[in-house]
Amino acid sequence: MAGQKSDKVFIFAGRATQKLASEVAKNYGIELGKSAVFQYADGEFQPSYEESIRGGIVFIIQSTIPPTDNLFELLMLVDAARRASAEKVIAVIPYYGFARQDRKDKPHVPIASKLIADMLQAAGVDRVVTMDLHADQIQGFFNIPVDHLFGSSIFTQYVRNLNIPAEDLVFASPDMGASKRASSYAKTLGCSFVICYKHRNKPNEIGEMRLLGDVSGKHVVIVDDMVDTGTTLCKAAEILKESGAKTVRAMITHPVLSGTAIEKIEASVLEELVVTDTIPLKRESDKIHVLSCDWLLAEALHRIVSHESIDNLYEESLRSVRGIKHEIR
């Protein structure tokens, strides 16, 4: 490893991301830091560090999934680290919640992702590490460094292992917002991409969906940053299949999977849904495969500590540098 690892590096976990944080610490080469949360009878809680972190670089890993207690716990852990005289406090947010509220798309609504950025900075965060933001411009809401990691570092090798010839492979965007992501995958793997255009009646309700492009006789991979109710994904898969696709699978970074989403996935025409563990699955499913991002986050933390660039943090170069392996779980 380039650079010498500091013995003053700590990795702590919020309650929403305990398992992932443990694996990140293991890949990094240190034990997960000791912390505790005292719970009052009325639901109020108080996190605390159970070891000295004075003068250390403190990484706090927490996805800000619902309920909002997870966000507030992260803010409290940051505040506690500052008050415990940590030298640097870095928030590692694998899934950045409220990211869909990145602009005023109608009157009298908040820009919640900007509000959260302000709260994190007010609490004392020095740096943020996150993965596949719903909107890239959220990085501009911060006045501190933001390291934005990409799920493509994990998913690209998975697609290569399918051994599908480039001429038979097509990437699909389930809506216009994900078209840039689908285009990037297609360019990397030398294949084409299509777009499913959708019109929403209201959030989580699709009015209509149309396919822009040809998928006849192709193996199609739908890519996106998150799957929530599963309605858009399943509808897109159905249209692609009806349009002549041989197989349809999806690779989506954040498995929000609200309500009956898993049941919808299981009943759909999808061959499989491949996700990461930025959010713990509510339950296992034969159709859902989880690729861990622990090695990717651990490598990013290594490079932050040793002041190395993370611009080229992709799967082939990564394994040659660290020899870190990632597995399907």
Side-chain angles (χ1 to χ4, degrees):
M1 182 182 68
Q4 187 175 0
K5 185 174 67 179
S6 169
D7 58 359
K8 281 281 194 178
V9 174
F10 302 90
I11 297 176
F12 290 94
R15 287 177 292 178
T17 325
Q18 282 280 340
K19 183 179 179 182
L20 174 58
S22 295
E23 293 301 317
V24 172
K26 182 179 178 181
N27 274 280
Y28 188 92
I30 62 177
E31 291 187 6
L32 188 66
K34 297 183 178 73
S35 61
V37 178
F38 176 79
Q39 190 87 31
Y40 292 91
D42 64 351
E44 182 181 333
F45 59 91
Q46 181 185 63
S48 64
Y49 297 102
E50 302 295 294
E51 59 184 294
S52 174
I53 57 175
R54 182 178 294 273
I57 300 173
V58 175
F59 293 99
I60 305 167
I61 302 179
Q62 174 85 309
S63 284
T64 53
I65 54 179
T68 51
D69 280 4
N70 292 320
L71 169 61
F72 197 54
E73 182 181 333
L74 173 60
L75 294 168
M76 293 172 76
L77 283 166
V78 171
D79 183 72
R82 275 282 166 234
R83 296 177 188 279
S85 300
E87 180 186 347
K88 295 285 184 184
V89 181
I90 300 170
V92 182
I93 311 173
Y95 170 70
Y96 188 99
F98 293 88
R100 285 172 284 189
Q101 299 182 52
D102 62 300
R103 64 196 183 280
K104 286 190 68 173
D105 54 357
K106 58 184 179 181
H108 318 305
V109 296
I111 304 179
S113 51
K114 173 64 166 72
L115 174 62
I116 290 170
D118 290 342
M119 289 192 293
L120 285 164
Q121 291 173 111
V125 167
D126 293 294
R127 190 183 198 103
V128 168
V129 180
T130 190
M131 187 168 167
D132 273 354
L133 286 167
H134 186 69
D136 289 345
Q137 64 264 26
I138 291 173
Q139 297 172 80
F141 294 164
F142 291 89
N143 294 318
I144 56 175
V146 176
D147 295 307
H148 188 199
L149 308 180
F150 298 101
S152 57
S153 302
I154 299 167
F155 291 132
T156 301
Q157 189 59 39
Y158 185 86
V159 176
R160 287 174 178 152
N161 291 341
L162 295 174
N163 294 318
I164 300 173
E167 61 270 20
D168 295 331
L169 180 65
V170 174
F171 283 93
S173 162
D175 54 29
M176 294 299 291
S179 59
K180 180 180 176 182
R181 183 175 283 103
S183 173
S184 177
Y185 275 98
K187 182 178 180 181
T188 300
L189 295 174
C191 55
S192 58
F193 78 98
V194 298
I195 298 172
C196 295
Y197 172 78
K198 69 179 178 184
H199 168 71
R200 287 192 185 276
N201 293 327
K202 59 182 180 180
N204 291 329
E205 182 180 309
I206 300 171
E208 64 174 336
M209 181 178 284
R210 296 179 183 177
L211 177 65
L212 306 178
D214 181 26
V215 295
S216 299
K218 305 293 186 180
H219 297 279
V220 182
V221 180
I222 302 171
V223 291
D224 207 350
D225 65 302
M226 62 185 292
V227 51
D228 188 357
T229 65
T231 302
T232 296
L233 176 60
C234 293
K235 182 67 174 177
E238 182 182 333
I239 289 175
L240 289 163
K241 198 73 173 177
E242 289 174 352
S243 300
K246 275 187 180 179
T247 62
V248 182
R249 52 176 43 86
M251 299 188 311
I252 298 181
T253 308
H254 308 299
V256 178
L257 297 172
S258 304
T260 60
I262 295 178
E263 286 76 13
K264 290 178 187 174
I265 299 298
E266 291 173 335
S268 73
V269 299
L270 284 167
E271 296 285 320
E272 62 179 346
L273 168 61
V274 185
V275 299
T276 75
D277 54 354
T278 57
I279 301 173
L281 280 184
K282 294 178 174 67
R283 70 170 176 86
E284 293 184 358
S285 169
D286 291 339
K287 264 200 177 181
I288 302 177
H289 297 160
V290 181
L291 303 181
S292 184
C293 60
D294 51 13
W295 59 273
L296 178 63
L297 292 171
E299 178 64 17
L301 304 196
H302 269 297
R303 295 190 181 194
I304 289 170
V305 170
S306 56
H307 306 291
E308 297 177 63
S309 172
I310 67 168
D311 286 347
N312 62 339
L313 230 174
Y314 292 96
E315 78 286 344
E316 294 296 335
S317 62
L318 179 60
R319 287 202 300 278
S320 66
V321 173
R322 306 291 185 198
I324 297 174
K325 298 179 181 179
H326 59 282
E327 300 176 349
I328 300 175
R329 295 182 178 177

CSV table of all heavy atoms in Angstrom, one decimal, residues 95-147:
chain,number,residue,atom,x,y,z
A,95,TYR,N,-25.5,5.4,1.0
A,95,TYR,CA,-26.8,5.8,0.4
A,95,TYR,C,-27.2,7.2,1.0
A,95,TYR,O,-27.4,7.3,2.2
A,95,TYR,CB,-27.9,4.8,0.6
A,95,TYR,CG,-29.3,5.3,0.2
A,95,TYR,CD1,-29.6,5.5,-1.1
A,95,TYR,CD2,-30.2,5.6,1.2
A,95,TYR,CE1,-30.8,6.0,-1.5
A,95,TYR,CE2,-31.5,6.1,0.8
A,95,TYR,CZ,-31.8,6.3,-0.5
A,95,TYR,OH,-33.0,6.8,-0.9
A,96,TYR,N,-27.2,8.2,0.2
A,96,TYR,CA,-27.5,9.6,0.6
A,96,TYR,C,-29.0,9.8,0.4
A,96,TYR,O,-29.5,10.0,-0.7
A,96,TYR,CB,-26.7,10.6,-0.3
A,96,TYR,CG,-26.8,12.0,0.2
A,96,TYR,CD1,-25.7,12.6,0.9
A,96,TYR,CD2,-27.8,12.8,-0.2
A,96,TYR,CE1,-25.8,13.9,1.3
A,96,TYR,CE2,-27.9,14.2,0.2
A,96,TYR,CZ,-26.8,14.7,0.9
A,96,TYR,OH,-26.9,16.0,1.3
A,97,GLY,N,-29.7,9.7,1.5
A,97,GLY,CA,-31.2,9.8,1.5
A,97,GLY,C,-31.6,11.2,1.2
A,97,GLY,O,-30.9,12.2,1.3
A,98,PHE,N,-32.9,11.4,0.8
A,98,PHE,CA,-33.5,12.6,0.4
A,98,PHE,C,-32.9,13.2,-0.8
A,98,PHE,O,-33.1,14.4,-1.1
A,98,PHE,CB,-33.4,13.6,1.6
A,98,PHE,CG,-34.3,13.3,2.8
A,98,PHE,CD1,-33.7,12.5,3.8
A,98,PHE,CD2,-35.6,13.7,2.9
A,98,PHE,CE1,-34.5,12.1,4.9
A,98,PHE,CE2,-36.3,13.3,4.0
A,98,PHE,CZ,-35.8,12.5,5.0
A,99,ALA,N,-32.1,12.4,-1.6
A,99,ALA,CA,-31.4,13.0,-2.8
A,99,ALA,C,-32.4,13.2,-3.9
A,99,ALA,O,-32.0,14.0,-4.9
A,99,ALA,CB,-30.3,12.0,-3.2
A,100,ARG,N,-33.6,12.7,-3.9
A,100,ARG,CA,-34.5,13.0,-4.9
A,100,ARG,C,-35.1,14.4,-4.8
A,100,ARG,O,-35.6,14.9,-5.8
A,100,ARG,CB,-35.7,12.0,-4.9
A,100,ARG,CG,-35.3,10.6,-5.4
A,100,ARG,CD,-36.4,9.6,-5.2
A,100,ARG,NE,-36.4,9.1,-3.8
A,100,ARG,CZ,-37.2,8.1,-3.4
A,100,ARG,NH1,-38.0,7.4,-4.2
A,100,ARG,NH2,-37.2,7.8,-2.1
A,101,GLN,N,-34.9,15.0,-3.7
A,101,GLN,CA,-35.3,16.4,-3.5
A,101,GLN,C,-34.1,17.4,-3.7
A,101,GLN,O,-33.7,18.0,-2.8
A,101,GLN,CB,-35.9,16.6,-2.1
A,101,GLN,CG,-37.1,15.7,-1.8
A,101,GLN,CD,-37.8,15.9,-0.5
A,101,GLN,OE1,-38.1,17.0,-0.1
A,101,GLN,NE2,-37.9,14.8,0.3
A,102,ASP,N,-33.7,17.4,-4.9
A,102,ASP,CA,-32.4,18.2,-5.2
A,102,ASP,C,-32.7,19.5,-5.9
A,102,ASP,O,-31.8,20.2,-6.3
A,102,ASP,CB,-31.5,17.3,-6.1
A,102,ASP,CG,-32.2,17.0,-7.5
A,102,ASP,OD1,-33.3,16.3,-7.5
A,102,ASP,OD2,-31.7,17.4,-8.5
A,103,ARG,N,-34.0,19.8,-6.1
A,103,ARG,CA,-34.4,21.1,-6.8
A,103,ARG,C,-35.9,21.4,-6.5
A,103,ARG,O,-36.6,20.5,-6.0
A,103,ARG,CB,-34.2,20.9,-8.3
A,103,ARG,CG,-35.1,19.9,-8.9
A,103,ARG,CD,-34.7,19.5,-10.3
A,103,ARG,NE,-35.6,18.6,-11.0
A,103,ARG,CZ,-35.6,17.3,-10.7
A,103,ARG,NH1,-34.8,16.8,-9.8
A,103,ARG,NH2,-36.5,16.5,-11.4
A,104,LYS,N,-36.3,22.6,-6.8
A,104,LYS,CA,-37.7,22.9,-6.7
A,104,LYS,C,-38.4,22.6,-8.0
A,104,LYS,O,-38.4,23.3,-8.9
A,104,LYS,CB,-37.9,24.4,-6.4
A,104,LYS,CG,-37.5,24.8,-4.9
A,104,LYS,CD,-37.9,26.2,-4.6
A,104,LYS,CE,-39.4,26.3,-4.5
A,104,LYS,NZ,-39.8,27.7,-4.1
A,105,ASP,N,-39.1,21.4,-8.0
A,105,ASP,CA,-39.8,21.0,-9.2
A,105,ASP,C,-41.2,21.4,-9.2
A,105,ASP,O,-42.0,21.2,-10.2
A,105,ASP,CB,-39.7,19.5,-9.4
A,105,ASP,CG,-40.1,18.7,-8.2
A,105,ASP,OD1,-40.5,19.3,-7.2
A,105,ASP,OD2,-40.1,17.5,-8.2
A,106,LYS,N,-41.6,22.1,-8.1
A,106,LYS,CA,-43.0,22.7,-8.0
A,106,LYS,C,-42.9,23.7,-6.9
A,106,LYS,O,-42.0,23.7,-6.1
A,106,LYS,CB,-44.0,21.6,-7.7
A,106,LYS,CG,-43.9,20.8,-6.5
A,106,LYS,CD,-44.9,19.8,-6.3
A,106,LYS,CE,-44.7,18.9,-5.1
A,106,LYS,NZ,-45.8,17.9,-4.9
A,107,PRO,N,-43.9,24.6,-6.8
A,107,PRO,CA,-43.8,25.7,-5.8
A,107,PRO,C,-43.9,25.1,-4.4
A,107,PRO,O,-44.5,24.1,-4.2
A,107,PRO,CB,-45.0,26.6,-6.2
A,107,PRO,CG,-45.3,26.3,-7.6
A,107,PRO,CD,-45.0,24.8,-7.7
A,108,HIS,N,-43.3,25.9,-3.4
A,108,HIS,CA,-43.6,25.7,-2.0
A,108,HIS,C,-43.0,24.3,-1.5
A,108,HIS,O,-43.6,23.7,-0.6
A,108,HIS,CB,-45.0,25.8,-1.7
A,108,HIS,CG,-45.7,26.9,-2.3
A,108,HIS,ND1,-45.3,28.2,-2.3
A,108,HIS,CD2,-46.8,27.0,-3.1
A,108,HIS,CE1,-46.1,29.0,-3.0
A,108,HIS,NE2,-47.0,28.3,-3.5
A,109,VAL,N,-41.9,23.8,-2.1
A,109,VAL,CA,-41.3,22.6,-1.6
A,109,VAL,C,-39.9,22.9,-1.2
A,109,VAL,O,-39.2,23.8,-1.7
A,109,VAL,CB,-41.4,21.5,-2.6
A,109,VAL,CG1,-42.8,21.1,-3.0
A,109,VAL,CG2,-40.6,21.9,-3.9
A,110,PRO,N,-39.3,22.1,-0.3
A,110,PRO,CA,-37.9,22.3,0.2
A,110,PRO,C,-36.9,21.6,-0.8
A,110,PRO,O,-37.3,20.8,-1.7
A,110,PRO,CB,-37.9,21.5,1.5
A,110,PRO,CG,-38.8,20.4,1.3
A,110,PRO,CD,-39.9,21.0,0.5
A,111,ILE,N,-35.7,22.0,-0.7
A,111,ILE,CA,-34.6,21.3,-1.4
A,111,ILE,C,-33.9,20.5,-0.3
A,111,ILE,O,-32.9,21.0,0.3
A,111,ILE,CB,-33.7,22.3,-2.2
A,111,ILE,CG1,-34.5,23.1,-3.1
A,111,ILE,CG2,-32.6,21.5,-2.9
A,111,ILE,CD1,-33.6,24.1,-3.9
A,112,ALA,N,-34.4,19.4,0.0
A,112,ALA,CA,-34.0,18.6,1.2
A,112,ALA,C,-32.6,18.2,1.2
A,112,ALA,O,-31.9,18.1,2.2
A,112,ALA,CB,-34.9,17.4,1.4
A,113,SER,N,-32.1,17.8,0.0
A,113,SER,CA,-30.7,17.3,-0.1
A,113,SER,C,-29.7,18.5,0.2
A,113,SER,O,-28.6,18.2,0.7
A,113,SER,CB,-30.4,16.7,-1.5
A,113,SER,OG,-30.8,17.6,-2.5
A,114,LYS,N,-30.1,19.7,-0.1
A,114,LYS,CA,-29.2,20.9,0.2
A,114,LYS,C,-29.3,21.1,1.7
A,114,LYS,O,-28.3,21.4,2.4
A,114,LYS,CB,-29.7,22.1,-0.5
A,114,LYS,CG,-29.0,23.4,-0.1
A,114,LYS,CD,-27.5,23.4,-0.4
A,114,LYS,CE,-26.9,24.8,-0.3
A,114,LYS,NZ,-26.8,25.3,1.0
A,115,LEU,N,-30.5,21.0,2.3
A,115,LEU,CA,-30.7,21.1,3.7
A,115,LEU,C,-29.8,20.1,4.5
A,115,LEU,O,-29.1,20.5,5.5
A,115,LEU,CB,-32.1,20.9,4.1
A,115,LEU,CG,-32.5,21.0,5.6
A,115,LEU,CD1,-32.1,22.3,6.2
A,115,LEU,CD2,-33.9,20.6,5.8
A,116,ILE,N,-29.8,18.9,4.1
A,116,ILE,CA,-28.9,17.9,4.7
A,116,ILE,C,-27.5,18.2,4.6
A,116,ILE,O,-26.7,18.0,5.5
A,116,ILE,CB,-29.3,16.5,4.1
A,116,ILE,CG1,-30.7,16.1,4.6
A,116,ILE,CG2,-28.2,15.4,4.6
A,116,ILE,CD1,-31.2,14.8,3.9
A,117,ALA,N,-27.0,18.7,3.4
A,117,ALA,CA,-25.6,19.1,3.2
A,117,ALA,C,-25.3,20.2,4.2
A,117,ALA,O,-24.2,20.2,4.8
A,117,ALA,CB,-25.4,19.6,1.8
A,118,ASP,N,-26.2,21.2,4.4
A,118,ASP,CA,-25.9,22.2,5.4
A,118,ASP,C,-25.8,21.7,6.8
A,118,ASP,O,-25.0,22.1,7.6
A,118,ASP,CB,-27.1,23.3,5.3
A,118,ASP,CG,-27.0,24.1,4.0
A,118,ASP,OD1,-26.0,24.1,3.3
A,118,ASP,OD2,-28.1,24.7,3.7
A,119,MET,N,-26.7,20.8,7.1
A,119,MET,CA,-26.7,20.2,8.5
A,119,MET,C,-25.4,19.4,8.8
A,119,MET,O,-24.8,19.5,9.9
A,119,MET,CB,-27.9,19.3,8.7
A,119,MET,CG,-29.2,20.1,8.8
A,119,MET,SD,-30.6,19.0,9.4
A,119,MET,CE,-30.8,17.9,8.1
A,120,LEU,N,-25.0,18.7,7.8
A,120,LEU,CA,-23.7,17.9,8.0
A,120,LEU,C,-22.5,18.8,8.2
A,120,LEU,O,-21.7,18.6,9.0
A,120,LEU,CB,-23.5,17.0,6.7
A,120,LEU,CG,-24.3,15.8,6.6
A,120,LEU,CD1,-24.3,15.2,5.2
A,120,LEU,CD2,-23.9,14.7,7.6
A,121,GLN,N,-22.5,19.9,7.4
A,121,GLN,CA,-21.4,20.9,7.6
A,121,GLN,C,-21.5,21.6,8.9
A,121,GLN,O,-20.5,21.8,9.6
A,121,GLN,CB,-21.4,21.8,6.4
A,121,GLN,CG,-21.0,21.2,5.1
A,121,GLN,CD,-21.1,22.1,3.9
A,121,GLN,OE1,-20.1,22.5,3.3
A,121,GLN,NE2,-22.4,22.4,3.5
A,122,ALA,N,-22.7,22.0,9.3
A,122,ALA,CA,-22.9,22.6,10.6
A,122,ALA,C,-22.5,21.7,11.8
A,122,ALA,O,-22.0,22.2,12.8
A,122,ALA,CB,-24.3,23.1,10.7
A,123,ALA,N,-22.7,20.4,11.6
A,123,ALA,CA,-22.3,19.5,12.7
A,123,ALA,C,-20.8,19.3,12.8
A,123,ALA,O,-20.3,18.9,13.8
A,123,ALA,CB,-23.0,18.1,12.4
A,124,GLY,N,-20.1,19.6,11.7
A,124,GLY,CA,-18.6,19.6,11.8
A,124,GLY,C,-17.9,18.6,10.9
A,124,GLY,O,-16.8,18.2,11.1
A,125,VAL,N,-18.6,18.1,9.8
A,125,VAL,CA,-18.0,17.2,8.9
A,125,VAL,C,-16.9,17.9,8.1
A,125,VAL,O,-17.1,19.0,7.6
A,125,VAL,CB,-19.1,16.6,8.0
A,125,VAL,CG1,-18.5,15.8,6.8
A,125,VAL,CG2,-20.0,15.6,8.7
A,126,ASP,N,-15.8,17.2,7.9
A,126,ASP,CA,-14.7,17.7,7.1
A,126,ASP,C,-14.7,17.3,5.7
A,126,ASP,O,-14.2,17.9,4.8
A,126,ASP,CB,-13.3,17.3,7.7
A,126,ASP,CG,-13.1,18.0,9.0
A,126,ASP,OD1,-12.9,19.2,9.1
A,126,ASP,OD2,-13.0,17.2,10.1
A,127,ARG,N,-15.4,16.1,5.5
A,127,ARG,CA,-15.4,15.5,4.1
A,127,ARG,C,-16.5,14.5,4.1
A,127,ARG,O,-16.9,13.9,5.1
A,127,ARG,CB,-14.0,14.8,3.9
A,127,ARG,CG,-13.8,14.3,2.5
A,127,ARG,CD,-12.5,13.5,2.4
A,127,ARG,NE,-12.0,13.4,1.0
A,127,ARG,CZ,-11.0,14.2,0.5
A,127,ARG,NH1,-10.4,15.1,1.2
A,127,ARG,NH2,-10.7,14.0,-0.8
A,128,VAL,N,-17.0,14.3,2.9
A,128,VAL,CA,-18.1,13.3,2.7
A,128,VAL,C,-17.7,12.3,1.6
A,128,VAL,O,-17.1,12.7,0.6
A,128,VAL,CB,-19.4,14.0,2.3
A,128,VAL,CG1,-20.5,13.0,1.8
A,128,VAL,CG2,-20.0,14.8,3.4
A,129,VAL,N,-18.0,11.0,1.9
A,129,VAL,CA,-17.8,10.0,0.9
A,129,VAL,C,-19.1,9.4,0.7
A,129,VAL,O,-19.8,9.0,1.6
A,129,VAL,CB,-16.8,8.9,1.4
A,129,VAL,CG1,-16.7,7.8,0.4
A,129,VAL,CG2,-15.5,9.5,1.8
A,130,THR,N,-19.6,9.3,-0.6
A,130,THR,CA,-20.9,8.7,-0.9
A,130,THR,C,-20.8,7.9,-2.2
A,130,THR,O,-19.7,7.9,-2.8
A,130,THR,CB,-22.0,9.8,-1.0
A,130,THR,OG1,-23.3,9.2,-1.0
A,130,THR,CG2,-21.7,10.7,-2.1
A,131,MET,N,-21.9,7.3,-2.6
A,131,MET,CA,-21.9,6.4,-3.7
A,131,MET,C,-23.2,6.6,-4.5
A,131,MET,O,-24.3,6.7,-4.0
A,131,MET,CB,-21.8,5.0,-3.2
A,131,MET,CG,-21.6,4.0,-4.3
A,131,MET,SD,-21.2,2.4,-3.5
A,131,MET,CE,-21.4,1.3,-4.9
A,132,ASP,N,-23.0,6.8,-5.8
A,132,ASP,CA,-24.1,6.9,-6.8
A,132,ASP,C,-25.2,7.8,-6.3
A,132,ASP,O,-26.3,7.4,-6.1
A,132,ASP,CB,-24.6,5.5,-7.2
A,132,ASP,CG,-23.9,4.9,-8.3
A,132,ASP,OD1,-23.0,5.5,-8.9
A,132,ASP,OD2,-24.1,3.7,-8.6
A,133,LEU,N,-24.9,9.1,-6.2
A,133,LEU,CA,-25.9,10.1,-5.9
A,133,LEU,C,-27.0,10.1,-6.9
A,133,LEU,O,-26.8,9.9,-8.1
A,133,LEU,CB,-25.3,11.5,-5.8
A,133,LEU,CG,-24.4,11.8,-4.6
A,133,LEU,CD1,-23.6,13.1,-4.9
A,133,LEU,CD2,-25.2,11.9,-3.3
A,134,HIS,N,-28.2,10.3,-6.5
A,134,HIS,CA,-29.4,10.4,-7.4
A,134,HIS,C,-29.2,11.5,-8.4
A,134,HIS,O,-29.6,11.5,-9.5
A,134,HIS,CB,-30.7,10.6,-6.6
A,134,HIS,CG,-31.9,10.5,-7.5
A,134,HIS,ND1,-32.3,9.3,-8.1
A,134,HIS,CD2,-32.8,11.5,-7.8
A,134,HIS,CE1,-33.4,9.6,-8.8
A,134,HIS,NE2,-33.7,10.9,-8.6
A,135,ALA,N,-28.6,12.6,-7.9
A,135,ALA,CA,-28.3,13.8,-8.8
A,135,ALA,C,-26.9,14.3,-8.5
A,135,ALA,O,-26.5,14.6,-7.4
A,135,ALA,CB,-29.3,14.9,-8.5
A,136,ASP,N,-26.1,14.3,-9.6
A,136,ASP,CA,-24.6,14.7,-9.4
A,136,ASP,C,-24.5,16.1,-8.8
A,136,ASP,O,-23.5,16.3,-8.1
A,136,ASP,CB,-23.9,14.6,-10.8
A,136,ASP,CG,-23.7,13.2,-11.3
A,136,ASP,OD1,-23.9,12.3,-10.5
A,136,ASP,OD2,-23.5,13.0,-12.5
A,137,GLN,N,-25.4,17.0,-9.1
A,137,GLN,CA,-25.2,18.4,-8.6
A,137,GLN,C,-25.3,18.5,-7.1
A,137,GLN,O,-24.9,19.5,-6.6
A,137,GLN,CB,-26.3,19.3,-9.2
A,137,GLN,CG,-27.7,19.0,-8.9
A,137,GLN,CD,-28.4,18.1,-9.9
A,137,GLN,OE1,-27.8,17.4,-10.6
A,137,GLN,NE2,-29.8,18.2,-10.0
A,138,ILE,N,-25.7,17.4,-6.4
A,138,ILE,CA,-25.7,17.5,-4.9
A,138,ILE,C,-24.3,17.7,-4.4
A,138,ILE,O,-24.1,18.4,-3.3
A,138,ILE,CB,-26.3,16.2,-4.3
A,138,ILE,CG1,-27.8,16.1,-4.7
A,138,ILE,CG2,-26.1,16.1,-2.8
A,138,ILE,CD1,-28.5,14.8,-4.3
A,139,GLN,N,-23.3,17.3,-5.1
A,139,GLN,CA,-21.9,17.6,-4.7
A,139,GLN,C,-21.7,19.1,-4.5
A,139,GLN,O,-20.9,19.5,-3.7
A,139,GLN,CB,-20.9,17.0,-5.7
A,139,GLN,CG,-21.0,15.5,-5.9
A,139,GLN,CD,-20.1,15.0,-7.0
A,139,GLN,OE1,-18.9,14.9,-6.9
A,139,GLN,NE2,-20.7,14.8,-8.2
A,140,GLY,N,-22.3,19.9,-5.4
A,140,GLY,CA,-22.2,21.3,-5.3
A,140,GLY,C,-22.9,22.0,-4.1
A,140,GLY,O,-22.7,23.2,-3.9
A,141,PHE,N,-23.7,21.2,-3.4
A,141,PHE,CA,-24.4,21.7,-2.2
A,141,PHE,C,-23.4,21.8,-1.0
A,141,PHE,O,-23.8,22.5,0.0
A,141,PHE,CB,-25.6,20.9,-1.8
A,141,PHE,CG,-26.7,20.8,-2.8
A,141,PHE,CD1,-27.7,19.9,-2.8
A,141,PHE,CD2,-26.8,21.8,-3.8
A,141,PHE,CE1,-28.7,19.9,-3.7
A,141,PHE,CE2,-27.8,21.8,-4.8
A,141,PHE,CZ,-28.8,20.8,-4.7
A,142,PHE,N,-22.3,21.2,-1.2
A,142,PHE,CA,-21.3,21.2,-0.1
A,142,PHE,C,-20.2,22.2,-0.3
A,142,PHE,O,-19.8,22.4,-1.5
A,142,PHE,CB,-20.7,19.8,0.1
A,142,PHE,CG,-21.6,18.7,0.6
A,142,PHE,CD1,-22.4,18.0,-0.2
A,142,PHE,CD2,-21.7,18.5,2.0
A,142,PHE,CE1,-23.2,17.0,0.3
A,142,PHE,CE2,-22.5,17.5,2.5
A,142,PHE,CZ,-23.3,16.8,1.6
A,143,ASN,N,-19.6,22.7,0.7
A,143,ASN,CA,-18.4,23.6,0.6
A,143,ASN,C,-17.2,22.9,1.2
A,143,ASN,O,-16.2,23.5,1.6
A,143,ASN,CB,-18.6,24.9,1.4
A,143,ASN,CG,-19.7,25.8,0.7
A,143,ASN,OD1,-19.8,25.9,-0.5
A,143,ASN,ND2,-20.6,26.3,1.5
A,144,ILE,N,-17.3,21.6,1.2
A,144,ILE,CA,-16.2,20.7,1.7
A,144,ILE,C,-16.0,19.6,0.6
A,144,ILE,O,-16.9,19.4,-0.3
A,144,ILE,CB,-16.5,20.0,3.0
A,144,ILE,CG1,-17.8,19.3,3.0
A,144,ILE,CG2,-16.5,21.0,4.1
A,144,ILE,CD1,-18.2,18.5,4.2
A,145,PRO,N,-14.9,18.9,0.6
A,145,PRO,CA,-14.7,17.8,-0.4
A,145,PRO,C,-15.8,16.7,-0.4
A,145,PRO,O,-16.1,16.3,0.7
A,145,PRO,CB,-13.3,17.3,-0.1
A,145,PRO,CG,-12.6,18.4,0.7
A,145,PRO,CD,-13.7,19.0,1.5
A,146,VAL,N,-16.2,16.3,-1.5
A,146,VAL,CA,-17.1,15.2,-1.6
A,146,VAL,C,-16.5,14.2,-2.6
A,146,VAL,O,-16.2,14.5,-3.7
A,146,VAL,CB,-18.5,15.6,-2.2
A,146,VAL,CG1,-19.4,14.4,-2.4
A,146,VAL,CG2,-19.2,16.6,-1.2
A,147,ASP,N,-16.3,12.9,-2.1
A,147,ASP,CA,-15.8,11.9,-2.9
A,147,ASP,C,-17.0,11.0,-3.4
A,147,ASP,O,-17.6,10.3,-2.5
A,147,ASP,CB,-14.8,11.0,-2.1
A,147,ASP,CG,-13.6,11.8,-1.8
A,147,ASP,OD1,-12.9,12.4,-2.7
A,147,ASP,OD2,-13.2,11.8,-0.6
